Amino acid sequence: KAGVTQTPRYLIKTRGQQVTLSCSPISGHRSVSWYQQTPGQGLQFLFEYFSETQRNKGNFPGRFSGRQFSNSRSEMNVSTLELGDSALYLCASSLGYVTGRVTDTQYFGPGTRLTVL
Amino acid sequence: AQSVTQLGSHVSVSEGALVLLRCNYSSSVPPYLFWYVQYPNQGLQLLLKYTSAATLVKGINGFEAEFKKSETSFHLTKPSAHMSDAAEYFCAVSDRDGNNRLAFGKGNQVVVIP
């Protein structure tokens, strides 16, 4: 079974621009989560989408947004880029069914390395 | 909110020696716990997870972790380090109330000394 794929792998943008990152989950997975990884802040949760709806949201400004399509593929958009947005953006997919009895394991893609100049 | 603490950002271990990475969680209700590994320029790979089925959890690559409720810990061990174990290791937690977000520790960069 193919893993989580993310495109592009590397991006260079300048301040003020916007960027869109793409994530294709593992086949059959309906949940896609996004994380930001930086040396200073570590791994931080951005948001989660399940069945085309945002189900959870982290503590990031409104410049960070996302969406999910009917085939579970997800995109993340960052508008008005700032230098501090330089990071590795990781996408994770899972089945998406969370209950008190069953864990929902997240599988990560290789990430998109965004550099803002 | 759930959180985990990993102490010691860099851990050096001799090849063949025990690998021990510590993780403590903050929760009155045992959460779901995970260990992930990240190799350079790659995403995160799941090593193992605790789901309450067993307190000693075996994972891939010879790693295992023991859940201790009394100590709110989920330490990761491997009896004999290999050069290929050089990587960054993250402990993560998610709660059991339907929230699918993971909260990660700061990570441990493991260096294996030949």
Side-chain angles (χ1 to χ4, degrees):
Chain A
K1 188 182 275 191
V4 178
T5 58
Q6 293 187 246
T7 57
R9 291 293 311 277
Y10 301 91
L11 266 177
I12 300 176
K13 293 287 187 178
T14 57
R15 280 181 298 174
Q17 287 187 310
Q18 75 166 17
V19 66
T20 299
L21 314 181
S22 180
C23 172
S24 293
I26 292 170
S27 177
H29 284 190
R30 296 175 63 188
S31 169
V32 173
S33 298
W34 289 88
Y35 295 82
Q36 182 196 64
Q37 185 178 24
T38 60
Q41 299 300 317
L43 281 152
Q44 294 183 285
F45 173 79
L46 279 156
F47 32 64
E48 180 210 7
Y49 285 86
F50 177 76
S51 292
E52 303 178 64
T53 301
Q54 188 180 85
R55 185 161 68 174
N56 284 297
K57 189 178 188 305
N59 189 26
F60 278 81
R63 299 185 298 107
F64 292 82
S65 63
R67 60 178 175 169
Q68 187 180 35
F69 302 94
S70 59
N71 61 358
S72 294
R73 190 178 69 86
S74 176
E75 288 182 346
M76 189 192 102
N77 185 76
V78 187
S79 62
T80 319
L81 284 166
E82 301 176 359
L83 295 179
D85 297 333
S86 294
L88 181 66
Y89 290 89
L90 293 164
C91 162
S93 81
S94 66
L95 290 171
Y97 302 101
V98 290
T99 70
R101 298 182 299 278
V102 179
T103 55
D104 192 41
T105 303
Q106 295 184 38
Y107 297 90
F108 285 79
T112 294
R113 173 77 62 185
L114 172 64
T115 301
V116 182
L117 302 176
Chain B
Q2 297 278 14
S3 67
V4 290
T5 301
Q6 291 180 253
L7 296 178
S9 60
H10 285 75
V11 176
S12 293
V13 59
S14 297
E15 190 175 15
L18 172 72
V19 179
L20 171 60
L21 303 179
R22 300 178 188 275
C23 173
N24 289 90
Y25 66 90
S26 64
S27 173
S28 58
V29 177
Y32 296 129
L33 292 157
F34 307 82
W35 275 99
Y36 284 89
V37 61
Q38 186 176 36
Y39 297 100
N41 299 315
Q42 294 188 27
L44 301 175
Q45 181 182 8
L46 180 69
L47 278 175
L48 48 81
K49 61 184 180 184
Y50 168 72
T51 64
S52 78
T55 56
L56 183 62
V57 182
K58 293 187 183 299
I60 62 171
N61 302 340
F63 284 93
E64 64 181 37
E66 186 173 9
F67 174 78
K68 292 186 176 180
K69 184 179 178 180
S70 61
E71 299 177 8
T72 60
S73 68
F74 190 56
H75 301 334
L76 181 72
T77 60
K78 181 174 180 178
S80 177
H82 191 272
M83 295 301 293
S84 61
D85 295 326
E88 191 154 21
Y89 293 79
F90 294 94
C91 182
V93 62
S94 68
D95 56 34
R96 292 174 181 259
D97 66 358
N99 186 327
N100 200 25
R101 65 165 59 176
L102 288 173
F104 287 88
K106 291 293 187 183
N108 293 121
Q109 184 68 52
V110 172
V111 175
V112 182
I113 304 167

